[in-house]
Amino acid sequence: MLCDHGALMCNFLPPAHTGKYSMDNLPKGPRGQLFRQLLPEIDPVLVTLREVATQRKKTMSQVAINWCMAKGAVPIPGAKDVAQATENLGALGWRLTAGEVASLDEVSRTIKRGMVQNIFQTR
C-alpha cells in the first residue's frame, strides 16, 4: 500500500465537508442517520471551511480538496458529472496559506468521533 511507503491518500471527500448536506437537508436512508449524528459535531469545521471559501472565492469542496493536498495527501474526489469534475479542478493552481491550514487543523481537532470510511481501513 502507498501508506507503507510514506504516501498519504485522501480517497473520500465526505459530502458533509462540501456543504451539500445540513441538518435541514439530510440524505435519505441510512446515510441520513449517519449525517444526523455527525453534522452537529463537525459544524465548526464547516463554518471554517465556509469562511475560507468565501474569502478565497472558492467552493467549500475546493477548499477541502486543497486542504487535503496541503497536508501532503493525494485527494481522490468523486464527480458524478462534468460540472462536479470542473468544480474539483478549481482546487488546483493555488494553495491555502499556513494560517488557513492551521485554522482548519485546529478546528478539526475538536471532532471526537472518528468515522471509518472503508471497512478494510486499518489505520
Side-chain angles (χ1 to χ4, degrees):
M1 301 219 36
L2 289 175
C3 293
D4 296 332
H5 299 284
L8 297 173
M9 291 184 64
C10 177
N11 64 350
F12 179 67
L13 183 60
H17 288 139
T18 68
K20 179 177 180 178
Y21 296 122
S22 68
M23 291 303 287
D24 298 324
N25 179 35
L26 294 169
K28 300 206 183 322
R31 289 180 68 210
Q33 295 289 357
L34 177 65
F35 278 89
R36 188 179 329 281
Q37 293 172 11
L38 292 177
L39 283 174
E41 190 169 349
I42 67 167
D43 190 60
V45 176
L46 299 178
V47 168
T48 305
L49 276 171
R50 192 173 292 112
E51 288 171 356
V52 173
T54 299
Q55 292 167 358
R56 289 286 196 150
K57 294 183 174 57
K58 298 290 183 181
T59 66
M60 290 173 67
S61 295
Q62 291 166 339
V63 172
I65 293 168
N66 199 282
W67 181 24
C68 286
M69 293 186 309
K71 302 300 292 177
V74 178
I76 306 172
K80 288 196 274 185
D81 54 37
V82 173
Q84 285 183 349
T86 302
E87 180 181 355
N88 291 344
L89 289 173
L92 303 176
W94 60 281
R95 296 247 185 239
L96 291 168
T97 66
E100 291 166 333
V101 171
S103 293
L104 288 162
D105 287 349
E106 182 179 335
V107 74
S108 72
R109 282 192 281 278
T110 65
I111 298 172
K112 294 173 182 53
R113 186 180 320 175
M115 180 177 158
V116 175
Q117 304 294 338
N118 179 334
I119 62 170
F120 300 107
Q121 185 175 356
T122 60
R123 296 185 189 247

